[in-house]
Amino acid sequence: MDFLREIEGKRVHDPTMMMTKSATRCVCIPGPVIVGAGPSGLAAAACLKQKGIPCMVLERSHCIASLWQLKTYDRLKLHLPKQFCELPLMPFPEGFPTYPSKQQFIQYLEDYAERFDINPVFNQSVVSAEYDRVLGLWRVKTTAAGLMKEEKTASATEYVCRWLIVATGENAEAVVPRVEGMEEFKGEIMHTSLYKSGGDFEGKKVLVVGCGNSGMEVCLDLCNHNASPTLAVRDTVHVLPREMLGRSTFGLSMWLLKWLPIRLVDAFLLIVSRLLLGDTSKYGLHRPPKGPLLLKNLSGKTPVLDVGTLSKIKSGHIKVCPGIQRLTRHSAEFVSGKSEQFDAIILATGYKSNVPYWLKEKEMFSEMDGLPKKPFPNGWKGENGLYAVGFTKRGLLGASMDAKRIAEDVEKHWKAEAKQHFSLISRPSSNTFQR
Ligand SMILES: Cc1cc2nc3c(=O)[nH]c(=O)nc-3n(C[C@H](O)[C@H](O)[C@H](O)COP(=O)(O)OP(=O)(O)OC[C@H]3O[C@@H](n4cnc5c(N)ncnc54)[C@H](O)[C@@H]3O)c2cc1C
Ligand SMILES: NC(=O)C1=CN([C@@H]2O[C@H](COP(=O)(O)OP(=O)(O)OC[C@H]3O[C@@H](n4cnc5c(N)ncnc54)[C@H](OP(=O)(O)O)[C@@H]3O)[C@@H](O)[C@H]2O)C=CC1
Ligand SMILES: O=C(O)C(=O)Cc1c[nH]c2ccccc12
């Protein structure tokens, strides 16, 4: 990282330093700092690199794409066809199947980082980022992830930069709901981010809470490993077949949306789903009043793309129950008043952004959900060189769109500033300082 310049060692004016008597390293970055080395951060870095703009990527984990490498289950595949999941500037390898496996996707991301020579600084958790109006620069503070408290303070670093690109993702933290009686329950309670395989639950009765794509697929996986899953569904859900009429449901929807209003495309999706899947409400999966694409657009709620779970529900291998009321030592009581014994509980209750915890600038991101306040497609740009990549609720496709826009925008400023800099250094008088 030859473009780094350590501009300051000990910072005597730093209040934390005065308290801890330790040093905060301060590093000045000429280009943007990108927070997060997931697909979004990598895409932004690649687009910048292609334009000759250096950047620094900070990652709290020890590897790239930590969500995919560390927090997803073994049987996971992309559930949108590969052409909708490619990052900019580098297609998937020819031999990849339509729905690449998690391992294939991770390999692609590793190759992507190598191809664009992206070398994130690992084990760096960004704990605060603040715009310094006097300097006109961002101050991004990190601690070394995984260290003890004292060591963390000792290894604190402040990165100073002109542009800050937030790429920490919509899925940065697991949502773990409070359920009455949770501490009494004797079996294991695990969030899907820690779930790997149904093999760990063979022969067990498992309650899966939440029926998004994770909950539905985990039920199928449990079933395939001879466990007995029950799915707790507290609300309505759209289940669509992953494919219809020989095409991917997602691809077909995007194509139809070019010609037809969303209302009609939704009506079409519901008719075909009814023909292929039957009436899902017969099995406890009631559909929302709004159509699947309209609901996705308005609330970000992703329809479930069925990869075989529904047939296991129909055959009775997966049971469906209403939401949980409370837990006891060995059982769950549902809102219907019924209760049932379980050996383990898997919380498929989703994820949330962590931006409000560390970004001190409060204009761009909502404090409520940690997502940009401006609706799609305008959420990528904030004030004073602040950007967001991967917060569109439109998966990897949305992240790629953001990354390209951000790189184009930064390039404008980068060129303008380089020009200014050049004209300053090339002016004869600029060689001498006039006091
Ligand atoms: C199980 C699952 C399957 C999915 N499948 C698909 C799919 O098939 N197609 C699709 O389009 N989308 C899918 N998604 C959506 C998913 O959000 C994207 O695939 C993608 O991972 C988003 O990339 P990202 O870089 O924005 O976020 P992430 O992949 O979450 O990466 C963010 C990175 O930022 C790091 N980070 C977070 N906070 C900090 C901090 N404070 N300091 C430093 N680093 C930090 C994290 O460690 C992480 O490495 C899936 C999501 C899940 C959970
Ligand atoms: N193969 C693939 O490509 C896969 C992709 N994904 C993607 O990953 C992302 C995350 O998906 P997922 O992990 O399923 O999370 P989601 O946010 O999509 O779903 C969470 C589910 O948990 C329910 N829930 C939340 N809180 C509670 C609570 N307190 N009590 C009961 N139920 C609760 C929600 O219900 P409610 O609707 O009522 O809030 C919802 O059904 C999505 O974008 C998804 O599409 C996930 C798995 C596989
Ligand atoms: O996987 C996700 O959560 C996505 O955001 C991508 C996605 C999956 N299914 C969809 C249906 C409509 C729009 C986006 C998606």
Side-chain angles (χ1 to χ4, degrees), residues 201-242:
F201 297 90
E202 203 179 323
K204 294 196 171 153
K205 281 195 71 176
V206 186
L207 177 64
V208 178
V209 182
C211 67
N213 278 296
S214 297
M216 292 288 271
E217 199 169 354
V218 161
C219 278
L220 177 63
D221 191 51
L222 286 164
C223 229
N224 290 343
H225 286 90
N226 300 318
S228 307
T230 296
L231 182 64
V233 182
R234 70 166 178 187
D235 201 358
T236 52
V237 58
H238 276 300
V239 182
L240 307 176
R242 192 180 60 172

Side-chain angles (χ1 to χ4, degrees), residues 53 380-381 407-417:
I53 304 169
W380 60 278
K381 188 173 177 182
E408 275 161 23
D409 204 63
V410 172
E411 187 186 29
K412 282 187 221 150
H413 299 277
W414 179 261
K415 278 188 178 156
E417 285 178 27

Side-chain angles (χ1 to χ4, degrees), residues 345-392:
I345 296 175
I346 292 167
L347 299 171
T349 42
Y351 297 84
K352 62 176 186 209
S353 155
N354 65 15
V355 176
Y357 299 128
W358 57 269
L359 185 63
K360 304 300 166 203
E361 191 271 348
K362 300 296 176 194
E363 271 303 299
M364 184 175 181
F365 285 81
S366 149
E367 285 286 290
M368 293 277 285
D369 58 12
L371 305 179
K373 290 180 191 170
K374 281 191 212 156
F376 179 81
N378 302 317
W380 60 278
K381 188 173 177 182
E383 297 293 318
N384 303 318
L386 180 61
Y387 298 95
V389 51
F391 292 90
T392 63

